[in-house]
Amino acid sequence: MWPLYAAGFTTAFGAHGIAANLGGFSKDAVTSLLVLGGLLALYDGAEVLLKPVFGSLADRIGAKPVLLGGLVAFAAASALYAIADSPGWLWAARLGQGAAASAFSPSASALVARLNPAAKHGRAFGSYGFYKSIGYTLGPLLGGVLVWACGLRLLFTVMAVCAAALALWAVLARRLADRSFLAPTAALAAATAALSVGVGFLPVSGASAGLGTVATGAAVSVLAATAAVVQPRAGRVLDTGSLTTGAGLLAGLLITATGLAAAMLPGLAGVLLAAALIGTGLITPLGFAALAASTPAERLGQTMGSAELGRELGDAGGPLLVAAVATVTTLAYGYAALAILIAAGPLLALTARRRTAHPERPPGYGQGPGGRAVTRATT
């Protein structure tokens, strides 16, 4: 339900947030009352004409595709003016926003009905209406702040980002709630984050230690060489049943975190050790094998595409995290921050597994009256 609540919030925020600030005091505000009235009517007019059309289309092909299409179209229409920044494109963007809202608004309402039993429809639509009302309430205020800060283009940019992020969330919502997808994808993202950090920042550590470009380049090449050696062997061990994906991913994450910690050591030894451990090839083959094993054949493309998206997020997020921490402290602390983040997942998993295997026994367990020990007869 949360993506649907967010869809309701987005359409309300976009409708009132932009409408309330079109005639504001920014440099790109609308100065003619007639133009302002036309732009306001354009959005609502598109909804009047197209909501019945998209509602019928949702009944024919399904509400979710129409919802996603509307969100993508809303993001594209908002980006149109944010990029073009001309009065003519403002009309086109506002028309596109109204048409897009006509698609995902009725689709979201249809999904609210389908995802809840008839006896709870009142509560479900009440909650949905609440989040739309929050969007209507915050839209003019937050929109005003954005327009005051940087004009209408910033507001349209924020709307484009919100709609695009919501479309992505709606696509992945069910998969993100599935541990069989989330755990391998998170491991793949963590491995990619560490690899990206190793390639980009280990040469900096080597240069700080007085190493030349040839030495640091050769050391960083150990990353790829390690993966090339380990990946096929890890795949063969998995196929023989000598290693499970769960155990392999946990080991790979801990090795990767250890490699990042080793990068904190000074000199060539720290760079080489970090490169060898960060480049461990366990995670990639085991992560994709786990995803393939838990995904029906007809959804393999979607699952693998989503997993690759997770890797790309790690590829971008890892260097950003290390750079942000290093900027206010030192590069060693940047390595430490990513190491702690990567190690946290497997350590929590191991702790949970230990508690499950050895649950705490209540006081008096195994004792009879008077505190005497009780033995269980076996046959």
Side-chain angles (χ1 to χ4, degrees):
M1 289 296 297
W2 283 107
L4 300 181
Y5 293 152
F9 175 88
T10 299
T11 182
F13 185 91
H16 279 199
I18 294 177
N21 290 283
L22 284 173
F25 297 97
S26 65
K27 62 180 180 179
D28 50 357
V30 176
T31 56
S32 168
L33 293 179
L34 181 60
V35 172
L36 177 59
L39 286 170
L40 294 175
L42 191 63
Y43 184 98
D44 294 321
E47 289 194 303
V48 169
L49 293 175
L50 295 177
K51 274 188 175 181
V53 176
F54 284 116
S56 300
L57 184 62
D59 291 337
R60 183 174 303 175
I61 68 172
K64 185 173 181 179
V66 178
L67 173 73
L68 295 175
L71 289 171
V72 172
F74 194 91
S78 301
L80 188 64
Y81 178 71
I83 296 172
D85 188 25
S86 69
W89 288 112
L90 179 59
W91 286 85
R94 199 59 179 157
L95 177 62
Q97 285 181 330
S102 303
F104 67 74
S105 185
S107 302
S109 298
L111 287 169
V112 169
R114 294 177 188 177
L115 291 175
N116 292 275
K120 294 185 178 180
H121 275 177
R123 182 180 302 175
F125 279 102
S127 298
Y128 179 69
F130 169 77
Y131 287 100
K132 288 194 72 170
S133 298
I134 294 296
Y136 286 131
T137 303
L138 295 180
L141 176 60
L142 297 181
V145 172
L146 294 172
V147 171
W148 170 80
C150 205
L152 279 173
R153 292 181 70 187
L154 178 59
L155 177 55
F156 274 84
T157 300
V158 170
M159 293 310 308
V161 172
C162 287
L166 179 55
L168 181 63
W169 183 17
V171 169
L172 299 179
R174 181 174 296 180
R175 297 298 285 151
L176 290 177
D178 184 357
R179 190 178 182 278
S180 64
F181 170 81
L182 184 57
T185 301
L188 289 168
T192 308
L195 183 64
S196 181
V197 167
V199 172
F201 288 96
L202 284 181
V204 178
S205 297
S208 299
L211 302 177
T213 56
V214 175
T216 56
V220 173
S221 294
V222 174
L223 283 164
T226 304
V229 171
V230 174
Q231 284 197 48
R233 288 170 172 77
R236 285 196 293 269
V237 173
L238 177 67
D239 290 341
T240 61
S242 302
L243 179 69
T244 64
T245 54
L249 291 176
L250 287 176
L253 289 170
L254 291 175
I255 292 172
T256 301
T258 304
L260 288 166
M264 301 171 64
L265 300 175
L268 179 61
V271 174
L272 283 175
L273 184 59
L277 295 177
I278 291 173
T280 177
L282 279 175
I283 294 175
T284 300
L286 299 185
F288 280 114
L291 290 170
S294 64
T295 304
E298 64 273 13
R299 289 216 316 265
L300 271 175
Q302 176 190 355
T303 295
M304 295 304 177
S306 301
E308 289 290 352
L309 175 61
R311 294 183 75 193
E312 294 301 326
L313 291 175
D315 199 15
L320 285 175
L321 172 64
V322 171
V325 174
T327 299
V328 297
T329 55
T330 64
L331 184 54
Y333 285 104
Y335 291 136
L338 185 57
I340 292 171
L341 184 63
I342 291 176
L347 291 177
L348 290 174
L350 289 173
T351 301
R353 184 178 299 178
R354 182 173 299 177
R355 288 178 178 175
T356 303
H358 303 287
E360 294 184 2
R361 295 178 175 180
Y365 178 86
Q367 294 182 348
R372 294 190 302 273
V374 176
T375 59
R376 180 175 296 177
T378 59
T379 59

